[in-house]
Amino acid sequence: MEYTIRRADSPLGQPAADWDRPPWPSADVLELGCWPWEDSGHRPPTSARVLYDDGFLAVIFRVEDRYVRAVAERFGDPVSEDSCVEFFLSPFPMGETDAYFNFEVNCGGVLLLRRCSSTTERGWGRPNPLLAEEDARLMPIAHSLPERVEPEIAAPTTWTVEYHVPFELFGRYFVDRPRPRAGTEWKGNFYKCGGKTSHPHWGTWAPVELAEPSFHEPAFFQPLRFA
C-alpha cells in the first residue's frame, strides 16, 4: 500500500481544521481501516489527507468519534492517552534509514513530537528526545474542539485537527535531507488512539503485525510519494 502526497492546487494559508475548505478537496483521502489489537470495540472511522507546497507539509484528520476526551495541557504531555491522531513520518525512502518524526496531536490540538532514531540506531533503552519547544512552535495547529474536553463526550462527535509542518523543521532535525519534489518518496504510517478514554482503542492505516499495541514500528511504514 502507498499514499500520494499531492501539491496543493491553491495556497495552503493557515490551518483551519475544516475538512472541506480548499485546497483539501484536491488531496487523496486515506482511511484508517486496521484495528489489529484487542480493544473496547470502539473503532471510530478516521480519515486523513496530506498536501504540500514550497514551504509546508499540511496534514488534516477527520474522526467520527465517541467517548472523546482531552486532558493533556502542554507540549510533550502524553496525548496518546486522550482522543488522539498520530502521523509517524520518515523523510527517507523505503530501504533507507528509518529515523522519523512522530506527530501526535489530541483532539484539543496539544502536540507531542520527537525526532525518533531508527531501530538500528537507537539501541535498547536509548531515549528519543522531544523537539525543542521553540522549534515545535513553528508548526501551526488548528482544532475543531476546545483545548480541554473533560468530562468525556460520550455522544457521537466528529472532530478535526489540521497542522502545517515547515520543511525548515525537517532540515533542523534531519540534516542534509533535500526538500521533497514530485517523484520524492518518504514513508510513514497513520494512527488513531485513545489509551485512557473510557473506550480504549488503537487503529492504523498500514497494518502493524505485532501482538501488543505499538506505533513506534518503522518496519511497518509504507511509501508516501510526492506528486
Side-chain angles (χ1 to χ4, degrees):
M1 58 195 310
E2 63 181 58
Y3 179 78
T4 299
I5 302 175
R6 303 197 182 279
R7 176 176 281 275
D9 60 6
S10 61
L12 286 170
Q14 288 296 308
D18 183 344
W19 182 259
D20 297 316
R21 179 182 69 94
W24 284 116
S26 66
D28 292 1
V29 177
L30 171 152
E31 307 285 352
L32 279 66
C34 299
W35 303 89
W37 300 294
E38 183 177 354
D39 58 24
S40 63
H42 175 54
R43 297 178 173 183
T46 302
S47 306
R49 288 167 161 163
V50 186
L51 289 169
Y52 77 107
D53 64 11
D54 290 337
F56 290 86
L57 184 79
V59 183
I60 191 168
F61 283 88
R62 181 180 186 273
V63 186
E64 299 174 46
D65 214 349
R66 294 184 65 183
Y67 317 111
V68 178
R69 182 174 188 252
V71 297
E73 295 180 345
R74 60 186 62 88
F75 173 70
D77 280 355
V79 295
S80 63
E81 298 175 356
D82 294 342
S83 300
C84 181
V85 285
E86 306 188 5
F87 180 29
F88 287 22
L89 174 63
S90 172
F92 298 92
M94 300 292 288
E96 292 191 11
T97 181
D98 291 332
Y100 60 96
F101 275 152
N102 62 314
F103 299 100
E104 305 181 15
V105 184
N106 74 2
C107 62
V110 177
L111 170 69
L112 184 152
L113 177 55
R114 301 180 187 272
R115 193 278 194 193
C116 299
S117 300
S118 71
T119 304
T120 56
E121 291 175 343
R122 69 186 179 209
W124 290 107
R126 179 178 174 185
N128 289 307
L130 285 168
L131 264 65
E133 191 165 357
E134 58 267 29
D135 288 347
R137 291 195 191 104
L138 297 173
M139 193 179 122
I141 301 173
H143 44 97
S144 62
L145 291 180
E147 290 184 4
R148 185 173 178 86
V149 181
E150 180 71 0
E152 182 179 273
I153 302 172
T157 303
T158 297
W159 56 271
T160 54
V161 295
E162 178 182 350
Y163 52 88
H164 296 180
V165 187
F167 289 120
E168 174 188 353
L169 195 62
F170 289 94
R172 293 185 183 191
Y173 288 86
F174 298 92
V175 179
D176 297 329
R177 294 304 300 162
R179 293 194 180 195
R181 59 184 182 180
T184 296
E185 179 188 286
W186 288 4
K187 57 181 177 284
N189 205 350
F190 300 77
Y191 310 104
K192 170 68 178 79
C193 57
K196 289 192 175 179
T197 63
S198 67
H199 289 65
H201 54 277
W202 300 271
T204 74
W205 167 61
V208 177
E209 298 174 358
L210 295 172
E212 300 293 332
S214 179
F215 292 167
H216 288 272
E217 301 296 338
F220 298 100
F221 288 178
Q222 297 298 320
L224 309 173
R225 302 188 191 279
F226 290 81

